[in-house]
Amino acid sequence: MDTPAELGNFLRSRRARLQPADVGLVSYGGQRRVPGLRREELAQLAGVSVAYYTRLEQGQSGNASDGVLDALARALRLTPDEHAHLRNLARPGRAARRPATRPATARAATRQLIAAMGAVPALVLDARYDVLAWNPLGHALLAGHLDAGAPERPAERPNTQRLLFLDPHVRELYPDWEFEARRAVSSLRLAAGEHPDDRQLAELIGELTMKSPEFAALWSRHPVRGCTSGVKVFHHPLVGPLELAFQMLRLPDSGGQGVLAFSAEPDSASDAGLRLLAGSVATAPSASPAAGASPADRISGPAPARGGGRPAR
């Protein structure tokens, strides 16, 4: 990722969303050449020289102090996540770096943990949102049309961001897909700032930018937000509507891995639907169906043959 360029783009996007009146400055009218605050206005608010701020926005100053970055964050009214992102972009040498190593794997203890969570959909994700492991209910909830063993093969690992934007089956899971897309891009922006040297993460962003106009449009707005908890609304092809709380539990000393788990309000319709899905998983055939099968086929198996012909589709 071109971190200096990203820093400039991020600062310009945040200047553009503020008007002088928003920050207590007097606007004397007339035609403004740029949307939002001018560089000199932001520099005044942050207490730095215009020349210094210009160098920073152009990526020519890689040693900005905490005081300067904190002042800019206050002037731009950044959220805590945006403030952390600004620090990562302004000083990429201090951001977490991912060395070039063999493909990541989930620890045995982590796999054991999610396997024990039989009634809870759970996945192990790395920092770029590759699925390193999932339990049967997590697989059935999010990607039942994919081979359950795909996370074990690095070249075929599902990526939750790629699935959301490029897989029509996953897209149909979300009644409010646009909201999920915004949330996903916000999280990916934060990850990109935390791991500026991750080549595979940069390749993923490039792929999504090329293949999904919706991703490209959202990415250009520079949203930044860490989405570690909240609620996701699904329309699952097997059990219908589900409203599930989610938590992303970061694992220490794991290079950014985390466990993503879902739960339903006890005795709710979503709780009943989740139990129904768990029951379907428990009775599913042990053999892995073809990767292209629909979610219903993957759990229920193909329909019996009609009149000696091919199995009904």
Side-chain angles (χ1 to χ4, degrees), residues 5 41 66 162 185 193 217 219 252 296 306-307:
E41 291 169 334
D66 287 343
R162 183 181 289 111
V185 173
W219 188 258
R306 297 179 180 176

Side-chain angles (χ1 to χ4, degrees), residues 232-255:
K232 288 184 182 284
V233 177
F234 301 90
H235 188 85
H236 197 274
L238 293 176
V239 298
L242 294 171
E243 184 173 306
L244 304 178
F246 72 90
Q247 291 279 342
M248 172 66 84
L249 310 174
R250 292 296 179 187
L251 302 173
D253 303 321
S254 65

Side-chain angles (χ1 to χ4, degrees), residues 15 100 127 140 146 179-180 230 241 257 279:
R15 279 199 292 121
L146 300 181
F179 175 77
E180 288 298 326
Q257 293 181 19

Side-chain angles (χ1 to χ4, degrees), residues 15-310:
R15 279 199 292 121
R17 72 182 184 182
L18 291 175
Q19 297 300 319
D22 297 333
V23 292
L25 295 178
V26 177
S27 178
Y28 295 100
Q31 187 72 26
R32 294 178 67 89
R33 292 178 300 172
V34 296
L37 296 179
R38 298 187 178 103
R39 284 177 177 171
E40 56 268 26
E41 291 169 334
L42 178 55
Q44 175 188 343
L45 289 169
V48 300
S49 71
V50 177
Y52 179 81
Y53 174 76
T54 300
R55 289 197 304 273
L56 185 64
E57 192 172 282
Q58 292 175 347
Q60 298 173 3
S61 179
N63 59 349
S65 68
D66 287 343
V68 167
L69 297 178
D70 292 348
L72 286 171
R74 288 192 297 270
L76 290 169
R77 301 188 176 183
L78 302 185
T79 66
D81 286 334
E82 291 172 332
H83 191 172
H85 188 61
L86 172 64
R87 285 173 177 255
N88 287 334
L89 293 179
R91 298 182 304 202
R94 302 188 191 184
R97 294 177 181 268
R98 181 186 298 274
T101 60
R102 59 187 179 181
T105 58
R107 295 168 178 162
T110 308
R111 292 172 179 273
Q112 180 177 310
L113 173 65
I114 66 169
M117 299 163 65
V120 175
L123 305 84
V124 182
L125 303 176
D126 68 8
R128 68 178 73 95
Y129 297 93
D130 284 345
V131 180
L132 305 183
W134 48 24
N135 64 11
L137 192 52
H139 167 238
L141 174 66
L142 295 179
H145 62 295
L146 300 181
D147 185 353
E152 307 302 323
R153 300 183 291 273
E156 301 175 27
R157 272 181 184 158
N159 177 281
T160 58
Q161 301 272 359
R162 183 181 289 111
L163 291 175
L164 181 65
F165 284 95
L166 302 182
D167 188 307
H169 294 291
V170 174
R171 185 169 184 139
E172 290 175 359
L173 277 177
Y174 299 101
D176 191 352
W177 181 87
E178 289 79 8
F179 175 77
E180 288 298 326
R182 290 193 299 271
R183 185 153 61 180
V185 173
S186 297
S187 297
L188 194 60
R189 267 283 178 196
L190 198 58
E194 292 171 348
H195 303 277
D197 293 339
D198 189 323
R199 180 178 56 82
Q200 289 177 283
L201 179 57
E203 290 174 351
L204 171 66
I205 293 167
E207 176 191 358
L208 294 176
T209 301
M210 292 295 294
K211 294 182 178 179
S212 171
E214 294 141 318
F215 178 90
L218 288 170
W219 188 258
S220 69
R221 299 174 194 167
H222 293 262
V224 177
R225 183 186 174 194
C227 301
T228 56
S229 63
V231 174
K232 288 184 182 284
V233 177
F234 301 90
H235 188 85
H236 197 274
L238 293 176
V239 298
L242 294 171
E243 184 173 306
L244 304 178
F246 72 90
Q247 291 279 342
M248 172 66 84
L249 310 174
R250 292 296 179 187
L251 302 173
D253 303 321
S254 65
Q257 293 181 19
V259 173
L260 176 62
F262 297 86
S263 62
E265 184 74 22
D267 301 320
S268 64
S270 295
D271 184 35
L274 201 56
R275 285 187 276 110
L276 179 61
L277 184 60
S280 299
V281 170
T283 59
S286 58
S288 295
S294 70
D297 288 342
R298 291 188 58 78
I299 291 181
S300 303
R306 297 179 180 176
R310 293 183 176 180

